[in-house]
Amino acid sequence: MAKFRVLSRVDAFVDYIAEVEADNADEAAQIAFDGGEGVVWKTQGVSEFDDRRVVTLDGDGEEIEATARGDL
């Protein structure tokens, strides 16, 4: 029986947290979105979802599209 390399790609968000000085919550979100000076992001974690795609890789590490299952 042959062995194949298979890639599993799961839909996910990578979460980051920053402390932002602002007059209100809306302003804090805008400063963070704009990449305001002094905004330092720290990794909070990863949240995975049910959406996934599995596909076999060829000898060059390229996806063999005809083998794909699932959809992101």
Side-chain angles (χ1 to χ4, degrees):
M1 187 175 286
K3 291 186 180 181
F4 298 89
R5 292 185 340 145
V6 179
L7 170 69
S8 175
R9 181 171 288 141
V10 178
D11 195 10
F13 286 117
V14 179
D15 299 325
Y16 300 91
I17 300 288
E19 291 189 14
V20 178
E21 289 188 28
D23 291 331
N24 56 57
D26 191 56
E27 181 183 357
Q30 189 63 52
I31 291 169
F33 182 78
D34 292 340
E37 188 175 319
V39 175
V40 177
W41 295 99
K42 294 183 182 175
T43 304
Q44 179 69 20
V46 176
S47 301
E48 292 184 359
F49 299 90
D50 290 335
D51 291 342
R52 65 188 172 105
R53 183 174 191 264
V54 175
V55 63
T56 304
L57 303 177
D58 66 16
D60 295 324
E62 298 295 322
E63 297 178 7
I64 304 171
E65 191 61 36
T67 68
R69 306 290 186 270
D71 189 20
L72 292 177

